């Protein structure tokens, strides 16, 4: 005597496919937000000891510095028609405004965001140091420099 039908029992794959597609869309959208903050025209230097971004950082601010020593602002951070900050005074004003907005949001004494400087490998230190100094004077203490891990090829 048979208990049940003789049809094959197959799992329903529709919910699994739905979940996979939602995850793919989530990661595609997340990757687009990160790519909007970085500039393709900035060629990072290579370093042997380069390491990945710290996942514990809650707020991250990217500053892209081209070979001329100008800060290239991403489209989401532009103020008015200016897409570059040409001198340290403009950088200091911009970073002061960012710091004030962050302090107001977090109710902290100083900004707690991680500031990542993406400096072009052809930018001389004389042009990048005043930008780093302006960021430090705005109250940012967690500043990182980005580099690409050295591949060993010339």
């Amino acid at each position: 005597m048979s208990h049940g039908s003789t049809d094959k029992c197959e799992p329903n794959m529709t919910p699994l496919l739905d979940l996979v597609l939602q995850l793919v869309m989530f990661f595609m959208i997340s990757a687009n937000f990160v790519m909007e903050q970085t500039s393709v025209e900035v060629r990072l230097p290579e370093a042997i000891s380069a390491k990945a971004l710290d996942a514990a950082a809650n707020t991250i601010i990217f500053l892209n510095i081209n070979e001329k020593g100008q800060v290239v602002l991403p489209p989401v951070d532009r103020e008015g028609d200016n897409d570059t900050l040409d001198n340290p005074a403009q950088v200091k004003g911009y970073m002061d405004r960012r710091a004030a907005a962050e302090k107001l949001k977090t109710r902290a004494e100083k900004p707690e965001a991680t500031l990542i400087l993406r400096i072009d490998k052809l930018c001389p230190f004389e042009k990048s140091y005043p930008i780093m100094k302006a960021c430090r004077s705005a109250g940012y203490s967690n500043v990182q420099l980005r580099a690409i891990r050295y591949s060993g090829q010339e």
Side-chain angles (χ1 to χ4, degrees), residues 2 13 25 32 35 52 66 73 75 105 119 127 145 150 152:
S2 172
M13 298 300 281
M25 287 189 298
N32 284 340
M35 293 307 294
N66 64 14
L73 296 174
K105 186 172 87 172
I119 303 174
K127 293 191 176 191
L145 297 176
Y150 180 65

Side-chain angles (χ1 to χ4, degrees), residues 8-154:
K8 279 188 168 181
C9 183
E10 294 181 11
N12 186 1
M13 298 300 281
T14 304
L16 180 64
L17 286 173
D18 187 38
L19 176 71
V20 169
L21 288 175
Q22 286 181 5
L23 286 172
V24 167
M25 287 189 298
F26 171 77
F27 287 117
M28 287 173 54
I29 291 171
S30 298
N32 284 340
F33 285 133
V34 171
M35 293 307 294
E36 285 179 1
Q37 296 179 0
T38 59
S39 176
V40 177
E41 68 186 44
V42 174
R43 296 171 308 237
L44 295 177
E46 292 183 346
I48 294 173
S49 62
K51 63 178 185 175
L53 185 63
D54 184 18
N58 14 346
T59 306
I60 299 173
I61 299 172
F62 288 95
L63 278 187
N64 301 298
I65 303 168
N66 64 14
E67 70 275 356
K68 299 174 190 169
Q70 301 169 323
V71 175
V72 180
L73 296 174
V76 294
D77 291 335
R78 290 189 181 145
E79 298 174 340
D81 294 336
N82 292 342
D83 59 344
T84 61
L85 304 174
D86 300 325
N87 58 48
Q90 287 179 330
V91 175
K92 173 140 177 35
Y94 173 76
M95 294 311 296
D96 283 339
R97 288 189 296 277
R98 292 287 303 251
E102 186 182 344
K103 288 190 277 189
L104 186 65
K105 186 172 87 172
T106 61
R107 302 190 196 291
E109 287 184 27
K110 62 179 190 168
E112 298 172 354
T114 300
L115 183 62
I116 296 178
L117 299 177
R118 301 181 73 246
I119 303 174
D120 192 284
K121 63 182 176 183
L122 299 177
C123 180
F125 182 73
E126 294 81 26
K127 293 191 176 191
S128 60
Y129 178 70
I131 294 171
M132 289 187 256
K133 194 173 175 183
C135 295
R136 181 70 74 170
S137 68
Y140 289 94
S141 58
N142 190 3
V143 179
Q144 299 178 6
L145 297 176
R146 284 294 111 185
I148 296 173
R149 185 174 296 257
Y150 180 65
S151 63
Q153 299 176 5
E154 290 292 324

